[in-house]
Amino acid sequence: MSHNKTLFSIGLSAAALIGTLTLSHGQAQAATTGTTTYEGGATTVWSSPAFSTPTRYLTHGQQVNIIDSKTVNGTTWFEVGQNEWVPSIYMQSANETTATSTAAPANTATAVGSVKVNYTAGSTTVWTGVDSGKAAAYLAPGETAQYSETSTGNGYTWYHITSGWVPSKYVSVVGANTQPTTQQTQTAQPAQQQQAQPTVQQQAAQPSQQQNTQQQTNTYSANTQQNSTASTNTVSSASATVKVTFYDPASLGSNMGYNGVAANLAKYPKGTRLKITLADGTVLHRVVNDTGTFVSSNPNQIDLAWPNSSVPSYGVTTASVSVE
């Protein structure tokens, strides 16, 4: 009897141990869900945790059960079936997704837009999280992907695309409805500086603008458009005081008559109507129709067409001149 009890006890202990081992094994093999993240085509399922023999293929976004995982040569592999393995660079587990969504990154801002890979020396790595150090997928040079939010990490703006996170070091924004808050902060400063620079330039340009105004007031160009501008500016400005001399066009063999005035054409182009008030109060209305040796080199002198027989005795005087 004692012998039978002993055997019975051993049997119960063995059964309990087997049950415990079975339960532990089941817990270790509890499956989680994995989702393929590669957007460039099908994801290969390999017969072992190595890029050796393919067994089947998964489509982008397809979900499978992950029953185990191991790391080989720095790459994490997910076991999705018997002799079926997928590298983590092409698949994201539900556990990682939960961890990524639970750990809210600092400075996260909602955004909608697209980024384009500007790195051309090879593929650009998409990471499982901001500066996570764990690859999730790869993007080809020039490839475009949509992003839903941004964050900052390691000095870069990170864009959350379908397959993971990619830093601004290797991509650039090509379209967005609302720019990320972090990006606005970083890019707004250069923009503000650029806006501030014209203000400085405008301040520095004030003397130049004043000079231009004075030149427009006192100087005329032969160009018709400039004539119009110069005339407008002169009309609105105070009249200029000039030196007045007289000359007889007839004595020079000209038939222009005595209704004109010779002037510096750079200041008063031909055809300009002038109101001339002589020093003795005489008011004349003349049209510039000529120039001369003296006035051509002196913008502050005019020669009035006048018969030699009636030239005033003083010969030279001054006048206040304004454009009519």
Side-chain angles (χ1 to χ4, degrees):
M1 175 68 75
S2 176
H3 178 71
N4 291 336
K5 287 182 178 180
T6 300
L7 291 175
F8 180 73
S9 298
I10 293 174
L12 288 177
S13 299
L17 177 61
I18 293 173
T20 301
L21 291 175
T22 303
L23 177 61
S24 299
H25 179 72
Q27 290 176 343
Q29 298 299 320
T32 185
T33 303
T35 305
T36 56
T37 57
Y38 182 58
E39 298 178 340
T43 295
T44 304
V45 179
W46 305 90
S47 61
S48 62
F51 300 97
S52 55
T53 305
T55 61
R56 62 186 176 110
Y57 299 92
L58 303 175
T59 60
H60 171 65
Q62 184 173 343
Q63 293 186 336
V64 294
N65 288 330
I66 298 176
I67 58 178
D68 198 1
S69 67
K70 66 169 58 179
T71 300
V72 179
N73 296 327
T75 300
T76 300
W77 290 78
F78 296 126
E79 186 179 13
V80 298
Q82 185 175 4
N83 297 325
E84 291 185 337
W85 296 83
V86 177
S88 61
I89 57 176
Y90 301 121
M91 177 171 287
Q92 187 172 36
S93 70
N95 294 337
E96 291 175 346
T97 304
T98 302
T100 301
S101 60
T102 302
N107 300 324
T108 299
T110 302
V112 177
S114 300
V115 290
K116 182 178 181 180
V117 177
N118 52 34
Y119 181 66
T120 58
S123 297
T124 293
T125 304
V126 180
W127 305 93
T128 57
V130 175
D131 203 22
S132 67
K134 188 173 183 180
Y138 295 95
L139 298 176
E143 187 173 347
T144 300
Q146 291 185 340
Y147 67 91
S148 59
E149 61 178 337
T150 65
S151 183
T152 55
N154 199 22
Y156 297 102
T157 297
W158 290 72
Y159 300 95
H160 192 187
I161 62 177
T162 303
S163 55
W165 293 81
V166 61
S168 58
K169 181 178 181 180
Y170 302 110
V171 298
S172 56
V173 176
V174 293
N177 296 332
T178 303
Q179 290 293 336
T181 302
T182 54
Q183 186 180 37
Q184 285 180 345
T185 302
Q186 294 171 357
T187 58
Q189 293 178 354
Q192 291 172 356
Q193 291 174 356
Q194 291 175 357
Q195 292 175 358
Q197 289 176 358
T199 302
V200 176
Q201 293 174 350
Q202 289 172 357
Q203 293 174 353
Q206 287 179 358
S208 176
Q209 292 174 350
Q210 291 173 354
Q211 292 175 357
N212 291 340
T213 303
Q214 292 174 356
Q215 291 174 352
Q216 289 176 351
T217 302
N218 299 323
T219 305
Y220 284 82
S221 169
N223 183 281
T224 303
Q225 182 177 1
Q226 291 176 339
N227 290 347
S228 174
T229 302
S231 297
T232 302
N233 291 337
T234 304
V235 168
S236 61
S237 63
S239 59
T241 300
V242 300
K243 178 181 179 180
V244 178
T245 54
F246 302 85
Y247 81 105
D248 190 341
S251 65
L252 299 176
S254 173
N255 59 359
M256 289 189 298
Y258 300 100
N259 294 321
V261 59
N264 183 300
L265 300 182
K267 184 174 182 179
Y268 301 116
K270 285 186 177 181
T272 302
R273 295 181 60 84
L274 299 179
K275 178 182 179 181
I276 305 168
T277 304
L278 299 178
D280 61 3
T282 303
V283 177
L284 304 173
H285 300 274
R286 298 290 182 94
V287 176
V288 178
N289 61 356
D290 199 4
T291 187
T293 304
F294 295 104
V295 295
S296 63
S297 59
N298 187 355
N300 295 318
Q301 179 179 341
I302 60 173
D303 274 356
L304 289 174
W306 210 280
N308 283 335
S309 59
S310 59
V311 170
S313 58
Y314 47 73
V316 177
T317 186
T318 60
S320 176
V321 178
S322 60
V323 176
E324 293 184 313

